[in-house]
Amino acid sequence: MVISTNDIKNGTVLNLDGQLWTVIWFQHHKPGKGNTVVRTKLKHVLSGKVVDKTFNSDVKIESAEVDRRDMQYLYQDGDAYVFMDETTYEQLPISSEVVGDAKDFMLENQTATVALHEGNPLYIDLPASVELEITYTEPGLQGDRSTGGTKPATLETGREIQVPLFITTGEKVKVDTRSGDYLGRISDK
């Protein structure tokens, strides 16, 4: 599918020289002299490499058809993660290279968005934050509630993150899936 550079939006996937790139930022720029240009930050779909690229305004470029589907993560099978399409109930094994760091925040039966291009999985999109249980952390000391220090804690997925000193084993916490940062404690109320 061919689109104009004026139609570029965040999330658009472009096919440049046979390689797929996702637009993560764009800006239309009109210099004092000359033609309008579209500045972009592009992320390579497979490698994750980010580059800056500038296009002349109203130039035709090839866009890739990407099908984003909600799928339920079922289980890990060796080096693959098995997802089920929530509409067709078809199961799709996805390699650990494609799943990437998302595996650190996925629990069985959790829904994620899987991006497919010509039937091949490209990447996994998780919600911005997830709630996970702390399976181990050192006990805090009396008075730790007012200090700003942190300590390591292991999540139920096996990922280690930094949490405030007052967090204890067994508590549920909210974690940012993009950075792995602790966002807050989940109360059982």
Side-chain angles (χ1 to χ4, degrees), residues 70-76 82-84 86 91 105-112 126-127:
D70 283 342
M71 293 192 172
Q72 184 179 33
Y73 168 56
L74 298 178
Y75 59 90
Q76 184 176 358
V82 179
F83 287 80
M84 178 184 70
E86 293 183 335
Q91 292 187 9
F105 307 105
M106 289 187 325
L107 292 175
E108 291 181 359
N109 302 319
Q110 179 181 345
T111 300
L126 292 177

Side-chain angles (χ1 to χ4, degrees), residues 16-140:
L16 304 174
D17 302 323
Q19 306 232 358
L20 298 180
W21 299 83
T22 303
V23 177
I24 55 176
W25 175 86
F26 74 97
Q27 177 186 46
H28 292 272
H29 178 70
K30 173 79 170 130
K33 295 186 212 172
N35 295 332
T36 303
V37 294
V38 180
R39 294 181 178 158
T40 63
K41 277 193 189 302
L42 304 174
K43 181 178 180 182
H44 193 270
V45 168
L46 300 177
S47 70
K49 176 181 173 185
V50 176
V51 297
D52 293 326
K53 184 150 178 74
T54 302
F55 298 96
N56 287 327
S57 181
D58 219 15
V59 169
K60 303 292 182 197
I61 53 177
E62 192 175 339
S63 120
E65 195 67 39
V66 175
D67 182 18
R68 291 177 175 84
R69 295 187 201 167
D70 283 342
M71 293 192 172
Q72 184 179 33
Y73 168 56
L74 298 178
Y75 59 90
Q76 184 176 358
D77 183 20
D79 194 33
Y81 293 80
V82 179
F83 287 80
M84 178 184 70
D85 189 313
E86 293 183 335
T87 54
T88 65
Y89 303 106
E90 181 181 325
Q91 292 187 9
L92 176 69
I94 300 177
S95 73
S96 59
E97 290 85 34
V98 172
V99 173
D101 289 340
K103 71 182 178 312
D104 294 336
F105 307 105
M106 289 187 325
L107 292 175
E108 291 181 359
N109 302 319
Q110 179 181 345
T111 300
T113 302
V114 177
L116 302 163
H117 174 65
E118 296 175 354
N120 298 318
L122 299 174
Y123 57 87
I124 308 293
D125 259 345
L126 292 177
S129 65
V130 292
E131 295 176 10
L132 296 169
E133 186 177 321
I134 301 290
T135 55
Y136 177 77
T137 188
E138 294 290 330

